[in-house]
Amino acid sequence: MSESLVPVVPSGTTHPPEADLPPQSAPPTSTGQRADQGPAAGPLSAQRVIPLRHPGRWITSAVALVLVAQIVHGLATNPFYQWDRFQYWFARPVITDGLWITLEVTAYSAVLGLLGGVVLALARLSRSPVLRAISWVYVWLFRSVPLIVVLLFLYNFSALYRTLSLGVPFGPAFWHFDESKLATDMVIAVIGLSLNEAAYAAEVVRAGILSVDQGQHEAAAALGLPKRYQFTRIVFPQALRAIVPSYVNQLIGLVKGTSLVFYVSLLDLFGSVQSMGSTYPGDIVPLLLVATVWYVILTSVISVVQFYVERYYSRGALRTLPPTPLQRLRAGLPNLIARVRRETAS
Amino acid sequence: MSILNTEARPGEEAEDTAPVAVEVRGVHKWYGTHRVLDGVDLTVAPGEVTVILGPSGSGKSTLLRVINHLEQPQLGHVSLGGEPIGVRWHRGRLRELSERQILAQRSRIGFVFQNFNLFPHLTVLDNVAAAPVATGRLRKPEAQELARDLLGRVGLAEKVAAFPRQLSGGQQQRVAIARALALRPGVILFDEPTSALDPELVGEVLAVIKDLAAGGTTLLIVTHEIGFAREVADRVVFMDGGRILEQGSPAEVLDHPQHPRTREFLSKVL
């Protein structure tokens, strides 16, 4: 159909170059050739514009596809990766136990870290200079000290403080805890990661709260809404729109950060892979692939959840919600097919 | 008895929304060396409609914000229906009220912002119904019924499920007025309610305010709509440089301004 829009210049006739312009500017030709031009003879406003062709784009895409295919082929056929061993290890109980520990540590630290982050952010935004300073120093300290150092410090903590007591500060104590019993490896790992996570989450939450328009605070105050309601129902839900993407980033860092708990003798996913690797040195590569694939799966799940959480918190902020990937695929597939057909036909 | 003194109880609708008097006494407000309010005295009778005119930076908006204690004056005080706002007398001295008490006072003063400041993440219905529930005056179904009723009154009955950003500016401002009304305030403060609107949309908002004026609520309106002032105001106040230069009936202030500054301002605006 689109071909018929191109003014056809019959071979043999010697037209000046202007003949390639829209037909209005073309000099009148003999009546016999006129019939071939079809709709091209119509007014300019009624004509479809032929889209610009992008051959370079198609070529680079094809080259990229070939490269990707080579990499995939190499992954599949190179014996170095030992895919049979990968299959053997992938869902072994020793690996899934480690995976479970990774999930547990991540979940606890993510929740505690976010709660700590909210508290620190509120302290940082409070009117008390003391709270502001403490919050600042905390964030400064835990962002400065590497996570591994925090974990190893906590691991040796029971040597520094043998018992913990609950009571009047600097005064009498009412409860005593034996620290070595209280602090299991799991507890140490979760505390270490949470302390670290809270420092980063504090900044993420603070940025989110600052992103809420001042008018929202004023409107909430002018209506006389109780303080807690102002924060939990008006300000924080709006802040979450800015918090979610950054916090998920943080969360993905945390998932991978859990691989450090191996150093406080907790056998997480990476820890299990590491210990199996030293028992079966020949399987190191497939074991690393097992860990890689599991981490990729975890990150993918988090990314999908992120999409829907973000969509939920953008209610009202956008006039219409963006389509989900599935909706987009359903709407986009016929379009894509039609386009490919059009491009290949011409 | 003023509504400010009635302690609202849950489930009991505060129907006695008698309009209240507003008194501003010797209010000074400054930021550093910049004087925003320079000794303002204003008395508004219950049910009176007062329009405040003046060039930008004259302190009109700050005056409204001092009245509902969004800003604290350094000197002077405001009282509504005889009750001081934000402070109380205690052993012969003025003491600041607790945050909770200030919020309770504010919930009895309606405030309509220039930029609407609706809560974008809540539906129109929830915007209006939120405050009566949060302040413990109504239970949710009653608040929603009240919200539907008020949204009907401002002509937005069919928009209850929409989100604010799906509405036009004029519609948003009408929702904001309904939101202020949901607390059954004895006085409503309007801070340039039509300044952010397209000229075409100004009329619908002014019509709603006119209705309120006819209903006998005490209104304080900062606006640049001189025609509107002439139509609804019982009194027009002209401010400049943080002072009230002139006040009186619309006929007096708008048609026969005494102060040269008022004359100059009106000649530019009219």
Side-chain angles (χ1 to χ4, degrees), chain A residues 127 213 215-216 218-227 229-230 233-235 237-238 313 315-320, chain B residues 65 68 70 99 103-104 106-107 109 111 113 117-122 127 130-131 134-135 163 165-166 179-180 183:
Chain A
R127 287 191 198 146
D213 184 46
Q216 294 292 310
E218 283 185 358
L223 286 168
L225 302 179
K227 262 298 194 210
Y229 189 98
Q230 285 187 28
R233 306 296 284 278
I234 304 298
V235 176
Q238 295 187 60
Y313 282 110
R315 276 174 325 154
L318 305 170
R319 270 159 221 242
T320 47
Chain B
R65 296 163 65 85
N68 84 340
L70 278 177
E99 194 135 30
L103 287 169
R106 276 205 203 112
S107 74
I109 306 169
F111 200 101
F113 294 88
N117 291 341
L118 292 178
F119 304 130
H121 60 303
L122 301 181
N127 261 282
T135 52
F163 284 100
R165 292 209 177 124
Q166 295 165 331
R179 180 174 73 171
L183 289 165

Side-chain angles (χ1 to χ4, degrees), chain B residues 127-164:
Chain B
N127 261 282
V128 180
V133 176
T135 52
R137 298 189 186 188
L138 296 178
R139 267 177 254 119
K140 200 168 179 185
E142 298 158 345
Q144 289 190 335
E145 196 184 321
L146 171 68
R148 275 177 217 282
D149 177 46
L150 289 169
L151 286 166
R153 268 175 63 189
V154 298
L156 291 171
E158 76 286 9
K159 295 288 186 190
V160 286
F163 284 100

